[in-house]
Amino acid sequence: MALAKGKFSYGRLKGKGIISDREIRFKCIFQNTILDVLRARPGWQEVQGDGEWDLYWCDREWLHANYDNMFLQEHQKILHFRNHYELTRKNLMVKNLKRFRKQTDKELGKADQGWDFFPATFELPSEYHIFVEEFKRNPGMIWIMKPAAKSQGRGIFLFRKLKDITDWKKGEYQPLADPNVPKDIPETYVVQRYIDNPYLIGGRKFDIRIYVLVLSFNPMKVWLYRGGFARFSNSRFSLDSLEDTYIHLTNVAVQKTSPDYDPEKGCKWSAQQLRKYLVARHGFNKVKNMFTAVDNIIIKSLHSVQKVIINDKHCFEMYGYDILLDDTLKPWLIEINASPSLTASGQEDYDLKFGLLNDVLNVLDLENRLSGKEKRIGGWDLLWDDGPVVIDEMSQETGLTSYLRVNSFLGCQNTRKEQLRETYSLAEAFKSAASTHS
């Protein structure tokens, strides 16, 4: 598509319904990679103050303060669904997962084994007595405490004995500067069985950051990015020291404070590096099954909130899923982030996030350049479209077309630039043909 001085060549495309005869206007509340992407986007113009916008990349606080008083025009898009926290607050995520699992088991008339992907979890203080019963049934088990509404590893600690949470129970862990919360009421936490047999590479623990883009909850439409990354701890794994956060927490915000942290490497592997390593160690089929299990986690977790999320066609969400592998290659859901960090830890991380965010805008398609039939756009693969996504494949032996369930392609080759060129060429040809037949 021809570009001139940062604007689309509207004259050639006008009349085909492909794009409108104006610039795309955006607002962005952040000063990081997403702002770079938006400013570099051909034909896009930043607006200030109360100027009219087509896309607003806002933060959660702004949305909560303004959503109920907004009237959005047909074409406007805004980051975050109104009550995204149903999936991204740790206590609500588990509550919704448990509720939906119970509902699914009731409908099936038996236990659905596909729900065994999150550790035993309890909300404190409301489920403290239930937790104590579970604790006593499993002597010696390690547990991890997490504030329900904090991120970046803040307030997390591990323990083996009930007396280790005495300070918390007394109310030492308080919401910061909240005058409405009585001082004798502790902050809401979740307590979770600690995965004490993590898969290790080079003796170090890691988790996988996976990006999931939801355009709609009803009908559900979900895209999964193939270029996530593994975040490693800076110290070799050991259960001898539960207090050492450099061993047990893989959050970059925690690891970058380590004395020997390398800011350029950032203790990260690309998803491609990780997949190649795992295939070399365990074989293609076992790794494919593991990534299929990750697909299951994503879809089931989204289904668990499908009926409670306030669906709005103007809203979209880019979640950051954190998945931990144990030493059997079983994936565990650790948490889901509504605002995954878009600040780069190094050049490689910046390139990944720049491409990721550019492709979010390509999927949103405010320029109306796509046909709507795409199953891959840049690095994003369509994972769910009101049902499992399938691809058609021609057999070289029989010449017959078969339909296959799409694997997530997480960690597969990400030839996003070449793919985009092909996608836009096909989409333009599709629209041209449709215009001719009409």
Side-chain angles (χ1 to χ4, degrees), residues 267-285:
C267 291
K268 292 180 180 179
W269 269 15
S270 70
Q272 286 76 14
Q273 286 176 284
L274 178 64
R275 187 160 191 153
K276 287 178 181 177
Y277 176 89
L278 294 175
V279 168
R281 289 286 307 273
H282 304 284
F284 176 82
N285 286 331

Side-chain angles (χ1 to χ4, degrees), residues 117-153:
F117 58 77
F118 59 100
T121 306
F122 304 91
E123 180 183 310
L124 302 185
S126 63
E127 296 181 327
Y128 180 77
H129 295 295
I130 303 174
F131 161 66
V132 170
E133 292 177 8
E134 181 71 14
F135 181 92
K136 290 179 178 178
R137 281 196 293 267
N138 297 277
M141 181 177 288
I142 301 174
W143 297 84
I144 184 167
M145 286 275 283
K146 306 175 183 179
K150 289 180 181 175
S151 59
Q152 298 184 330

Side-chain angles (χ1 to χ4, degrees), residues 1 8 10 13 17-20 22-24 41-44 358 361-370 424 431:
M1 184 167 290
F8 287 106
Y10 295 125
L13 299 174
I18 294 181
I19 54 178
S20 58
R22 62 171 175 78
E23 295 174 325
I24 303 296
R41 190 89 175 169
W44 288 48
N358 228 330
L361 305 182
N362 291 330
V363 173
L364 292 176
D365 191 30
L366 270 67
E367 301 96 337
N368 194 23
R369 299 169 65 194
L370 300 174
Y424 285 125
K431 289 194 172 186

Side-chain angles (χ1 to χ4, degrees), residues 251-416:
N251 310 68
V252 174
V254 172
Q255 294 298 328
K256 69 181 182 181
T257 64
S258 174
D260 53 349
Y261 176 77
D262 185 336
E264 185 58 35
K265 293 181 179 178
C267 291
K268 292 180 180 179
W269 269 15
S270 70
Q272 286 76 14
Q273 286 176 284
L274 178 64
R275 187 160 191 153
K276 287 178 181 177
Y277 176 89
L278 294 175
V279 168
R281 289 286 307 273
H282 304 284
F284 176 82
N285 286 331
K286 190 167 184 178
V287 174
K288 181 178 182 294
N289 290 338
M290 183 272 287
F291 280 111
T292 299
V294 172
D295 290 356
N296 173 69
I297 291 174
I298 294 167
I299 296 305
K300 276 189 160 58
S301 62
L302 293 172
H303 273 135
S304 75
V305 297
Q306 186 177 21
K307 293 184 178 179
V308 298
I309 291 287
I310 300 171
N311 193 62
D312 186 334
K313 66 181 180 181
H314 301 96
C315 301
F316 66 97
E317 197 80 51
M318 188 181 75
Y319 294 109
Y321 275 67
D322 292 340
I323 302 290
L324 179 73
L325 300 181
D326 68 20
D327 57 13
T328 70
L329 279 189
K330 176 182 173 60
W332 294 90
L333 175 61
I334 303 304
E335 64 183 56
I336 304 171
N337 300 274
S339 296
S341 173
L342 302 181
T343 300
S345 59
Q347 187 59 48
E348 185 176 346
D349 193 43
Y350 180 84
D351 293 341
L352 182 149
K353 289 175 179 175
F354 194 96
L356 161 81
L357 295 167
N358 228 330
D359 287 345
V360 169
L361 305 182
N362 291 330
V363 173
L364 292 176
D365 191 30
L366 270 67
E367 301 96 337
N368 194 23
R369 299 169 65 194
L370 300 174
S371 69
K373 305 293 184 181
E374 291 80 9
K375 293 182 180 178
R376 182 184 173 195
I377 301 174
W380 290 100
D381 294 287
L382 187 58
L383 185 62
W384 191 271
D385 190 9
D386 201 22
V389 175
V390 296
I391 58 174
D392 55 308
E393 184 177 79
M394 181 73 73
S395 170
Q396 294 181 350
E397 295 180 359
T398 65
L400 300 176
T401 299
S402 60
Y403 296 92
L404 305 174
R405 171 74 168 85
V406 172
N407 181 259
S408 69
F409 298 113
L410 179 64
C412 292
Q413 188 176 10
N414 191 6
T415 54
R416 53 175 299 275

